[in-house]
Amino acid sequence: MDKIIIEGGNTRLQGEVTIEGAKNAVLPLLAATILPVEGKTVLKNVPILSDVFTMNHVVRGLNIAVDFDEALNQVTVDATGAILDTAPYEYVSQMRASIVVLGPILARNGHAKVSMPGGCTIGSRPIDLHLKGLEAMGASIHQEGGDISATAEKLKGAHFYMDFPSVGATQNLMMAATLAEGTTVLENVAREPEIVDLANLLNKMGARVSGAGTETLTIRGVAELHGAEHNVVQDRIEAGTFMVAAAMTSGNVLIKDAVWEHNRPLISKLREMGVDVREEEAGIRVKSDISKLKPVTVKTLPHPGFPTDMQAQFTALMAVVKGESTMIETVFENRFQHLEEMRRMGLHSEILRDTAMIHGGQRLQGAQVMSTDLRASAALILTGLVAQGQTKVGQLSHLDRGYYQFHEKLAQLGADIRRESED
């Protein structure tokens, strides 16, 4: 079993770091490659992550040709010809995000069968909005034996209001609506940059999607879609993770190609703390003096609010800023598990329902800790950078889902960090 080992306490990150294409963008983009009936779809700037391999297997299991050229960070998909309507359970069961293939398969084939998503360590992620939206478009939904079956001879345009701006439901319904008859209007949709990226690819394929990035999406259905080429948007969460890493180590780091607009909620809170964050031609530069930073209150919200995927990493920063900071988590109900592990390193915190009080500035000590989810793994590694002595972080399968060569990038910035296999 692999572990990341950090010799911390004197780390000051400096230099430049390059981030990858966004994991949260490429998974729905791969689902969209199911839709074209002719031509190849080429996705560039694809990150080499375990979740990407899993989604490739899901698409490939539908009798679709998928080639991942890791040297070029490029996936080529050819969905020409008949495709299957049942997503392979073996791979769907490994990743909740694979539910987004339901809409594309249904829109193209008139029938789709996908296994119900399993549990999630950071909280429940109900799919009722996915199903209600498809039903509004004329689909008949049946759930039996752990499977969801959806049938519609031809999806019809509909007007659907989402009770919550679910990212997955927005993606699923947007893709399904591209081939529906008539116009679909989706209200109170997710507005994340990854939604915009998906709409951009769909439009390159011949779809007619407008309003991406706003509260209302309008999709005018077309008869068929074709292949296209598309560059995956940069990963704002990876960029944010390195921004926090620089801030908590009194560092000076340029995050190359990071998009200012995509990171604005995080940048606002970093600046409120006293971190120097500047936009440069090559990306975003973060400079910090931890002794001068002050505590803040943060509340996670759907975009354009503070991203829940940055909550764990930001609490690591709060842990080294002197004073009492507050983190309020409104998106997932079980996303403070990393704080229990950080207590092993000397963190003083209190959790009351959706609120964590972080008593920062206390001495942190290296310890052996275990990742509980993807973003928690990054938070524990960042905490290890500033904790005195050696920290060992295990259960790295979580980390590999969303970060490519994370420890190598930190090492290039000056961290004393390595990855080793241990029995």
Side-chain angles (χ1 to χ4, degrees):
M1 180 180 295
D2 282 8
K3 290 187 177 180
I4 282 181
I5 302 171
I6 309 117
E7 306 293 341
N10 298 302
T11 305
R12 183 169 183 264
L13 299 182
Q14 298 184 76
E16 300 179 352
V17 63
T18 300
I19 57 175
E20 312 297 319
K23 175 187 86 78
N24 290 341
V26 74
L27 301 182
L29 294 177
L30 286 167
T33 66
I34 296 169
L35 290 164
V37 295
E38 64 174 27
K40 295 180 179 180
T41 300
V42 179
L43 300 180
K44 300 179 179 180
N45 196 35
V46 176
I48 303 173
L49 303 171
S50 60
D51 273 9
V52 173
F53 287 107
T54 300
M55 185 61 91
N56 283 343
H57 283 305
V58 172
V59 176
R60 196 176 285 122
L62 299 170
N63 194 37
I64 294 173
V66 180
D67 176 64
F68 190 2
D69 188 332
E70 296 176 43
L72 296 176
N73 291 88
Q74 180 173 297
V75 175
T76 302
V77 182
D78 189 350
T80 305
I83 68 169
L84 303 178
D85 57 15
T86 301
Y89 170 78
E90 176 185 0
Y91 298 107
V92 170
S93 61
Q94 295 180 22
M95 186 176 63
R96 292 190 58 87
S98 55
I99 189 65
V100 295
V101 302
L102 179 64
I105 298 173
L106 175 63
R108 178 163 172 179
N109 271 8
H111 179 261
K113 185 177 180 181
V114 179
S115 295
M116 281 282 291
C120 180
T121 60
I122 60 173
S124 62
R125 302 189 189 188
I127 61 167
D128 57 312
L129 290 176
H130 301 243
L131 306 184
K132 289 177 181 177
L134 292 175
E135 285 179 326
M137 296 165 66
S140 297
I141 308 290
H142 300 282
Q143 299 182 48
E144 185 176 354
D147 294 327
I148 302 167
S149 291
T151 304
E153 184 174 337
K154 183 65 177 178
L155 291 173
K156 307 288 186 181
H159 198 127
F160 182 69
Y161 179 88
M162 298 175 63
D163 296 334
F164 177 82
S166 161
V167 173
T170 300
Q171 293 164 340
N172 230 338
L173 300 179
M174 180 180 9
M175 288 187 280
T178 59
L179 296 178
E181 188 177 280
T183 299
T184 298
V185 178
L186 304 175
E187 290 191 273
N188 195 33
V189 297
R191 294 184 277 168
E192 276 76 358
E194 295 80 17
I195 298 293
V196 177
D197 205 37
L198 176 59
N200 289 340
L201 172 63
L202 292 172
N203 286 336
K204 289 177 182 178
M205 290 175 165
R208 300 173 65 193
V209 180
S210 59
T214 73
E215 295 180 353
T216 303
L217 277 171
T218 302
I219 306 100
R220 294 171 176 81
V222 298
E224 64 181 32
L225 299 176
H226 53 76
E229 288 193 5
H230 184 73
N231 284 306
V232 180
V233 69
Q234 296 300 101
D235 195 325
R236 64 193 171 100
I237 304 303
E238 185 189 6
T241 301
F242 280 101
M243 291 166 68
V244 167
M248 64 191 292
T249 61
S250 293
N252 182 349
V253 176
L254 174 67
I255 299 93
K256 297 177 67 177
D257 299 324
V259 181
W260 183 274
E261 285 299 318
H262 295 177
N263 292 278
R264 188 175 291 278
L266 171 63
I267 291 168
S268 174
K269 283 300 173 182
L270 286 172
R271 285 181 157 180
E272 183 181 340
M273 265 189 165
V275 180
D276 182 1
V277 187
R278 302 178 185 178
E279 185 176 17
E280 298 185 359
E281 185 175 346
I284 297 174
R285 183 173 297 279
V286 177
K287 297 172 66 177
S288 174
D289 181 345
I290 199 69
S291 67
K292 297 181 180 179
L293 301 190
K294 59 185 180 181
V296 294
T297 295
V298 174
K299 183 177 184 179
T300 67
L301 290 166
H303 193 79
F306 190 94
T308 181
D309 277 354
M310 281 303 304
Q311 181 255 99
Q313 303 92 306
F314 207 86
T315 57
L317 171 58
M318 289 174 163
V320 294
V321 174
K322 189 175 181 180
E324 187 174 280
S325 291
T326 303
M327 177 63 75
I328 306 168
E329 172 60 58
T330 71
V331 180
F332 293 115
E333 73 275 13
N334 195 24
R335 206 163 195 178
F336 287 137
Q337 296 176 75
H338 62 284
L339 296 180
E340 298 298 326
E341 290 296 295
M342 288 169 64
R343 284 192 180 122
R344 296 166 55 82
M345 306 173 74
L347 172 69
H348 291 228
S349 66
E350 301 163 10
I351 302 172
L352 180 62
R353 293 187 294 274
D354 64 353
T355 302
M357 306 296 295
I358 310 294
H359 306 284
Q362 307 293 327
R363 177 181 171 87
L364 298 176
Q365 187 68 38
Q368 185 159 323
V369 293
M370 299 291 287
S371 301
T372 53
D373 62 72
L374 168 55
R375 306 306 171 184
S377 63
L380 292 173
I381 292 168
L382 297 191
T383 306
L385 296 177
V386 297
Q388 296 294 324
Q390 186 179 88
T391 297
K392 293 184 178 181
V393 182
Q395 202 65 36
L396 298 182
S397 58
H398 295 298
L399 182 75
D400 294 339
R401 290 184 49 233
Y403 293 94
Y404 178 64
Q405 295 184 341
F406 190 53
H407 71 284
E408 288 99 328
K409 292 181 180 182
L410 287 170
Q412 290 169 3
L413 294 173
D416 187 347
I417 185 172
R418 64 189 185 275
R419 182 166 177 160
E420 293 184 355
S421 295
E422 295 186 355
D423 295 330

